[in-house]
Amino acid sequence: MRRLPVSGWIGAVIVAVTVLFALVSLVWTPYDPVHAMPADRLLGSSAEHLMGTDRYGRDVFSRIMAGAQITLFVGLVAVGISALFGVPLGIAAGMRRGWAEAFIMRGMDLMLAFPALLLAIVAGAAFGASTLTAMVAIGIAGIPGFARVARAGTLQIMTQDFIASARVSRVPELVIAGRHVLPNIAGVIIVQASVAFALAILAEAALSFLGLGTSPPDPSWGRMLQSAQASLGSAPQLALWPGLAIALTVLGFNLLGDGLRDVLDPSRSRR
């Protein structure tokens, strides 16, 4: 097995810092991230307020820390939904073949016709805009990606001799899937999860920016960007910090995913 490349370590550090911010903000932030202090509105960076304050006087650094909670939680739930449904469907398509494979994969192709953003807009109109709606919509939109990856990995595993031996021994299909297929495709699933996490973070930020995700006053990075539009001329830093947080976090998960792919993907290792 190859070592994690430098880019992968950089991504891991960025992800670790984001997770640390989220965990620390559960018990401590410099200021209350949702408490408005009109007397301190639109302050610049200082020792007291590292990233300044917004137009309501709320500490931007505290809101960035608290926003990491929502960002990671949305990504975790969305990727969990995608993997929970996509991986079993992909394994089933790779093992059963024939009409079952065609039915599952054509269904995945149909789902790909509805992007996460469009699905979230429809869900928001039907059930109301909320963090939960965004998580479910992003998770459903990510199912085809996991199904395709799981199917491709399953097709490779199904050609191995130990699978033929298990079938000759009349081992049940569910046991083969759980004992032989899933452990052998876990690497590519982990890589897909890392990349899907980055896409989920970006999608949540876009939905919050459009008013279809996290509702105020909860500190979502996308919502912070949307609120900063009114003060771009006088306080451009209000858009800089949440934008930088989104960009770095997405970059971190993408770098980590690329690094894990180099380590866990056997075909890339052989090349």
Side-chain angles (χ1 to χ4, degrees), residues 167-209:
R167 284 185 158 174
V168 168
S169 302
R170 297 185 181 276
V171 177
E173 293 287 308
L174 284 177
V175 176
I176 294 176
R179 183 181 298 173
H180 299 296
V181 177
L182 185 58
N184 283 285
I185 66 172
V188 293
I189 297 301
I190 292 172
V191 173
Q192 175 66 18
S194 179
V195 175
F197 213 112
L199 295 175
I201 291 172
L202 201 57
E204 189 280 330
L207 292 173
S208 294
F209 183 86

Side-chain angles (χ1 to χ4, degrees), residues 238-255:
L238 295 181
L240 171 65
W241 298 121
L244 192 60
I246 295 169
L248 284 177
T249 304
V250 171
L251 175 64
F253 276 101
N254 277 323
L255 290 177

Side-chain angles (χ1 to χ4, degrees), residues 106-123 136-145 203:
R106 296 299 76 76
M108 295 300 101
D109 292 340
L110 183 63
M111 290 182 65
L112 283 174
F114 296 91
L117 187 58
L118 178 60
L119 188 61
I121 292 174
V122 174
V136 173
I138 296 169
I140 292 174
I143 290 175

